[in-house]
Amino acid sequence: MSIGFGAVAARAAVCALACALALAAPARADAAEGYTPADAVLSEPRAHPDWPCLSSLLQQIVDDQGERGVNLLHIGRVVRRAGDGDDFVRVYWPRQRAIVLVSLNRNGCADPAYRYDSLGLGWYRTKARIDLDSHVRETEAEVSGSSFLVTRAWTDAVIAECTTHGTELKLRRARRRRSDADADAL
């Protein structure tokens, strides 16, 4: 069976379009999954006025939840929406297989020496943490309106943003001190 030149040209055009869409898929997935709202501006985390408090908080989170040795964190670019005044970052933590969600103070850091108590750190252990092994679903239908489940496409977009455009921060867990309750148990 003979295929005419028009059919060959049409197939070539379809192949070219498929290739273009495949290359554009991550950007479209970003928009579809809501990684960056349409009116958002992205900026480097180290340039944000809240950087001293963010880095201090991340050290406290690593001290609380991290493994021994170096914990590499990939901090995504700061997302700033014009209307709401809330800046935030997403932090990919490969060693913990997690994404940590952190709100930033747009006016800058009040006190980088501030120490979160167990309750404050608990927020980052549970509510502001996406566990990549248990909180990720393949489709939006499986998420089904959940406040803590996310899609694989969204997770892939966040990890790509954090590792490609983000800032790396290497932190070591501080030696844990025994609390008075631990000392009494001995």
Side-chain angles (χ1 to χ4, degrees):
M1 183 166 129
S2 168
I3 299 177
F5 177 75
V8 171
R11 280 188 180 172
V14 167
C15 287
L17 179 61
C19 289
L21 290 174
L23 292 174
R28 289 181 340 105
D30 254 8
E33 295 298 323
Y35 175 74
T36 305
D39 63 341
V41 175
L42 300 176
S43 64
E44 295 301 316
R46 289 183 192 271
H48 194 277
D50 204 29
W51 172 255
C53 285
L54 173 61
S55 58
S56 174
L57 170 63
L58 293 174
Q59 179 65 62
Q60 291 175 62
I61 291 170
V62 167
D63 291 347
D64 181 57
Q65 303 167 37
E67 304 284 329
R68 286 183 180 218
V70 174
N71 286 265
L72 176 63
L73 304 175
H74 298 275
I75 306 165
R77 291 179 288 184
V78 175
V79 178
R80 173 178 277 190
R81 293 185 62 178
D84 66 7
D86 293 330
D87 295 355
F88 64 90
V89 295
R90 296 173 178 122
V91 180
Y92 171 50
W93 191 356
R95 200 161 178 195
Q96 290 290 313
R97 297 208 27 82
I99 295 171
V100 180
L101 312 170
V102 182
S103 293
L104 301 174
N105 184 346
R106 191 174 273 194
N107 297 320
C109 183
D111 182 9
Y114 178 80
R115 302 298 299 171
Y116 286 80
D117 61 10
S118 183
L119 183 63
L121 288 172
W123 177 257
Y124 295 101
R125 279 185 227 114
T126 57
K127 301 291 186 190
R129 176 188 173 109
I130 297 167
D131 183 309
L132 299 178
D133 294 325
S134 61
H135 296 156
V136 179
R137 300 296 183 266
E138 291 302 320
T139 66
E140 191 65 44
E142 292 174 282
V143 170
S144 186
S146 169
S147 63
F148 68 93
L149 297 176
V150 295
T151 63
R152 175 135 347 262
W154 181 88
T155 302
D156 291 345
V158 170
I159 292 171
E161 161 63 27
C162 291
T163 57
T164 305
H165 302 291
T167 298
E168 286 187 358
L169 187 61
K170 294 178 182 179
L171 299 172
R172 288 190 172 275
R173 186 185 80 194
R175 185 174 178 186
R176 295 188 181 163
R177 296 184 188 144
R178 282 192 309 206
S179 68
D180 292 335
D182 293 336
D184 291 339
L186 296 177

